[in-house]
Amino acid sequence: MGESDKIGNKAEELKGKAKEAAGKATDDERLEAEGRRDQTAANLKQAGENVKDAFRS
């Protein structure tokens, strides 16, 4: 796991934000919820990376 994983996690978070915004704009609750789930998953992965980084230091 390295820098590319961190970039991928950030991209997943941004994709989730876009889905959430599109869901809000189109009143699509399912898409909005999917976007929030994507963001949560990305944030959990990022937190895991931060913990790994802390132990490597």
Side-chain angles (χ1 to χ4, degrees), residues 6-18:
K6 291 178 184 180
I7 292 169
N9 293 338
K10 189 63 175 176
E12 185 177 344
E13 179 187 359
L14 294 174
K15 183 178 84 172
K17 286 183 180 189

Side-chain angles (χ1 to χ4, degrees), residues 6-7 10 16 18 23-24 26 32-33 35-36 41 46 50 54 57:
K6 291 178 184 180
I7 292 169
K10 189 63 175 176
K24 284 181 181 179
T26 61
E32 189 177 342
R36 283 194 300 268
Q46 288 174 11
N50 290 340
S57 299

Side-chain angles (χ1 to χ4, degrees), residues 3 9 13 16-17 21 35-38 41-42 49 53 56:
E3 198 64 31
N9 293 338
E13 179 187 359
K17 286 183 180 189
R36 283 194 300 268
R37 276 193 309 272
D38 290 349
E49 288 294 320
D53 289 346
R56 288 183 190 140

